[in-house]
Amino acid sequence: MREFLLTAIILSIFAMLFEGIIVFRNLKNKLHAYLFLNCITMLVNNTGYLLELLSKTEDGHPVASEDDHGIGTRSVLDFAKKTGSEIRYIAGNDMFKVRMLIG
């Protein structure tokens, strides 16, 4: 399912880019300007969502994009699996929180 979702998002990014170029080349009135801005907005939203998906595992846990570099979530996940614990990551508002219920 994750691969399907990634493929769909990548295709929608290219479609929005293509549509934005077509609308921009034929920019004649306010409606075309609105459509162009809408294409750009959708392009930015879909790109952000793609980057968010690529920065997480299938279980929704954050991981580093580079090898041998990261924020230590893999070792925390290993600990949670070994002890039967539950872990949740919350990111937003310039904060990163980890909540763990140890089983």
Side-chain angles (χ1 to χ4, degrees), residues 8-41:
I9 292 172
I10 291 169
L11 288 175
S12 71
I13 288 171
F14 282 114
M16 282 293 123
L17 185 61
F18 182 69
E19 186 176 344
I21 290 169
I22 290 172
V23 171
F24 183 74
R25 291 184 73 197
N26 296 316
L27 202 61
K28 295 179 184 171
N29 57 34
K30 290 182 182 180
L31 179 62
H32 288 128
Y34 173 76
L35 289 173
F36 178 70
L37 289 175
N38 191 30
C39 287
I40 297 301
T41 302

Side-chain angles (χ1 to χ4, degrees), residues 50-98:
L50 175 66
L51 293 174
E52 183 180 340
L53 278 177
L54 291 175
S55 69
K56 294 183 177 184
T57 64
E58 289 185 20
D59 298 334
H61 300 289
V63 294
S65 58
E66 301 174 21
D67 292 337
D68 299 327
H69 194 299
I71 53 179
T73 58
R74 287 188 182 114
S75 59
V76 175
L77 285 172
D78 288 341
F79 172 80
K81 287 179 184 176
K82 287 178 185 175
T83 60
S85 303
E86 184 178 323
I87 189 165
R88 184 169 29 143
Y89 298 99
I90 304 164
N93 298 330
D94 298 328
M95 295 184 77
F96 181 77
K97 297 178 185 178
V98 179

